[in-house]
Amino acid sequence: MTPSTRQRRGRRKPKPSLRILITAGPTREYVDPVRYLSNESSGKMGFALAERAARAGHEVTLVAGPVHQPTPSGVERIDVVSARDMYRAARDAFREAQALFMCAAVADWRPARKRVGKWRKKEQGSEVASLELVRNTDILASLGRRKGSRLVVGFALETGNGVTRALEKMRRKNADYIVLNDETALGADRSSVTILGRDGQRRSLENRSKAVLASALVRLAEKHFA
Ligand code: C5P
């Protein structure tokens, strides 16, 4: 075998570069100018995924809620605050995307109105106060409905054995995969996940770094489009 033949036979088919949209972090739903409803999401999983996907040569748009994470090299980052902002940014970027990883911990509810001035104690006049909430759009479900040939991956944080609930979410939100994890993933550098596929696939990855989990998810997208 000549060196050139060996080279040709050994050469791998180049991987196609994918346009990948990732959402990460929490959203903030303001009650007044200084108070908000939010959650503990650090954005680490979504940022690790963006970093690995860009490093693998994909075109990455990262829609990020308020987090303290550096932007991975080569990633287009769009910062948002509320679920409504995230919905608008994700919906626009989804048009050009081939794959969506919906890692963000989107608030399900927002205050029915944001007070213009600070909500003062004296306005309440009793030991009980109430806040009217309205439901935010489910971004994953909304984009899932019009996904066409795109790959759509959602995340589900469940306490206890959440497989049944995660499978139900996958169907309801029309996702191809759901990555199931539990509350120990919040803010952590490592996580245990079960990747559930619409095709019945079930793969558990125990106590892995988020970078390793991110690589597995990037490979999942690459295989899907291979
Ligand atoms: O129903 P649940 O919030 O557990 O579903 C989690 C999945 O749905 C995550 O992928 C999350 O990003 C997405 N989600 C969303 N919009 C919401 C709530 C959740 O896209 N308003």
Side-chain angles (χ1 to χ4, degrees), residues 82-122:
S82 68
R84 283 198 287 186
D85 300 339
M86 183 171 279
Y87 177 53
R88 279 191 285 268
R91 187 192 52 196
D92 291 349
F94 191 65
R95 291 199 186 103
E96 299 295 318
Q98 292 161 290
L100 165 69
F101 287 90
M102 193 71 214
C103 305
V106 187
D108 291 321
W109 303 94
R110 66 174 182 275
R113 66 186 183 100
K114 178 182 169 186
R115 284 163 182 264
V116 179
K118 215 176 138 194
W119 189 4
R120 299 195 186 279
K121 282 195 276 292
K122 66 174 186 305

Side-chain angles (χ1 to χ4, degrees), residues 15-156:
K15 278 187 300 178
S17 164
L18 301 171
R19 283 190 301 277
I20 302 181
L21 168 62
I22 299 166
T23 65
T27 62
R28 268 184 202 171
E29 312 300 325
Y30 275 89
V31 174
D32 70 14
V34 292
R35 302 186 181 96
Y36 53 80
L37 306 174
S38 192
N39 60 64
E40 291 283 339
S41 171
S42 63
K44 281 181 183 169
M45 188 65 240
F47 275 67
L49 190 52
E51 197 267 329
R52 287 289 153 141
R55 211 201 281 182
H58 303 297
E59 240 176 81
V60 180
T61 301
L62 175 62
V63 177
V67 290
H68 299 284
Q69 300 287 346
T71 309
S73 163
V75 167
E76 183 201 10
R77 175 174 178 170
I78 302 170
D79 283 312
V80 296
V81 176
S82 68
R84 283 198 287 186
D85 300 339
M86 183 171 279
Y87 177 53
R88 279 191 285 268
R91 187 192 52 196
D92 291 349
F94 191 65
R95 291 199 186 103
E96 299 295 318
Q98 292 161 290
L100 165 69
F101 287 90
M102 193 71 214
C103 305
V106 187
D108 291 321
W109 303 94
R110 66 174 182 275
R113 66 186 183 100
K114 178 182 169 186
R115 284 163 182 264
V116 179
K118 215 176 138 194
W119 189 4
R120 299 195 186 279
K121 282 195 276 292
K122 66 174 186 305
E123 285 177 38
Q124 296 156 18
S126 88
E127 293 308 307
V128 180
S130 57
L131 188 59
E132 195 186 357
L133 300 175
V134 293
R135 193 177 276 288
N136 277 324
T137 301
D138 189 313
I139 303 171
L140 177 58
S142 169
L143 300 182
R145 275 195 290 276
R146 55 189 118 131
K147 75 187 198 67
S149 59
R150 295 176 188 84
L151 172 71
V152 168
V153 182
F155 283 68

